[in-house]
Each structure stands twice: as structure tokens, then as C-alpha cells.
Amino acid sequence: MSALDGLALVGLGLLVWTLFEYWAHRYLFHWEASWKPVQQLVFLIHGNHHEQPRDLLRNLMPPVVSVPVGLIVWALCFALVGHAGTWLFLGFMSGYVLYDLIHYACHQWPMRGRLGRMLKRHHMRHHFTDENGNFAITALFWDRLFATRVHGARRQQEAGK
């Protein structure tokens, strides 16, 4: 495989990650299941984070979830494109690491730069303004594209109606 092809697969994997991140956060992490075992799993994966968003130990995905999911993703990448799937997987996992760093930083660090403030404000609106929006962490354009972007005044507007 050429270096350019490898880079293209890494880029594709990164893009796939951003969509997976949005989808998982919107539909899986906020799933309101009726079956108790599923409710408990969703709470383990994400609900506990919403209960204590500033807790140092609740800002990263637990390994009991991330390791099996990572193995499944690698297997899918390999099944789709053979050995080249490892490059796709590298992009996907690079996105995951970037997501974890940004998510952790949003909750634990001041994030003073322009980009950092924008990412933090976007995510904090998910936690403290409306948890039914702002599902993206690393690729905020998905919230614009899927019309789930939360503006700061949503709760105040609803309270005034």
C-alpha cells in the first residue's frame, strides 16, 4: 500500500470515528431503555458521567466497554478491507484518543484558547443547558448537520414561554 493510500485510510477512519462518536452519544449513551439490564449498562457507559460530570474517574470510557468495542471495530475494519483495515482502525482509534483527551479537558481543564473554549462551551451546554443536544465532542459540525446544536439560551427561552 502506498503512503498516500495509508493516509487516506487513516483520514477515513478518523471521519468514521467522528460520526460514530456522534451516533453513540446521541442514540446509545442516551438510550431510554425499558429493560433493567440495558438501563444499567447505559448508566455504566454514560449515565454515571451525567450524574457527576466533574468527577475525575467518570470522564473516560471504562475499559470494560472500550476494549471490547475496540476489538470489534478492528475486526470490522479487517473484514471490510483486509490488512489495510489496520490503517482504517488507526484513524478510528486516533479519533477515539482525541475524543477522550478533549472530553476529559472539557471537564477538568480551563481550556483558555479559542478552539478550547469553543469545544468546552459546546459540551458544557450538553450537560448544563440541554442534554438532548450537542452530542458531538470532536467534530461539532455533526450537531449543525443533524440540527441538534444547543444554543446557550434554550432553557431560558423555554422557561419564558
Side-chain angles (χ1 to χ4, degrees):
M1 170 175 298
S2 73
L4 189 57
D5 288 343
L7 283 174
L9 283 171
V10 169
L12 179 60
L14 185 58
L15 181 63
V16 168
W17 162 259
T18 65
L19 188 56
F20 175 82
E21 167 199 301
Y22 176 88
W23 177 88
H25 192 190
R26 181 174 182 180
Y27 296 107
L28 180 61
F29 297 173
H30 288 272
W31 184 11
E32 295 181 17
S34 57
W35 193 37
K36 189 71 170 173
V38 174
Q39 291 173 354
Q40 292 169 331
L41 179 62
V42 170
F43 183 81
L44 171 69
I45 293 170
H46 191 68
N48 65 2
H49 170 60
H50 270 268
E51 285 204 2
Q52 296 292 324
R54 290 189 175 95
D55 186 317
L56 290 167
L57 299 176
R58 296 182 190 191
N59 294 148
L60 300 173
M61 185 62 62
V64 70
V65 176
S66 59
V67 171
V69 169
L71 291 171
I72 290 168
V73 169
W74 178 80
L76 286 171
C77 290
F78 189 84
L80 284 172
V81 290
H83 291 290
T86 301
W87 292 104
L88 192 62
F89 181 67
L90 176 61
F92 188 91
M93 291 310 292
S94 295
Y96 173 68
V97 170
L98 184 63
Y99 154 81
D100 254 356
L101 287 170
I102 290 171
H103 186 250
Y104 188 85
C106 283
H107 287 279
Q108 303 302 329
W109 299 338
M111 298 187 70
R112 292 187 178 98
R114 182 177 171 177
L115 177 61
R117 282 193 316 266
M118 179 182 67
L119 291 167
K120 183 171 186 157
R121 182 174 41 251
H122 185 85
H123 186 57
M124 290 303 106
R125 285 179 177 159
H126 170 73
H127 278 279
F128 300 109
T129 301
D130 186 353
E131 70 178 36
N132 295 308
N134 283 14
F135 298 106
I137 306 294
T138 59
L140 308 187
F141 60 84
W142 291 122
D143 280 308
R144 285 183 183 264
L145 183 67
F146 296 124
T148 54
R149 184 169 174 239
V150 174
H151 299 279
R154 184 179 283 183
R155 276 219 176 131
Q156 290 96 354
Q157 289 172 350
E158 290 173 356
K161 288 184 179 178

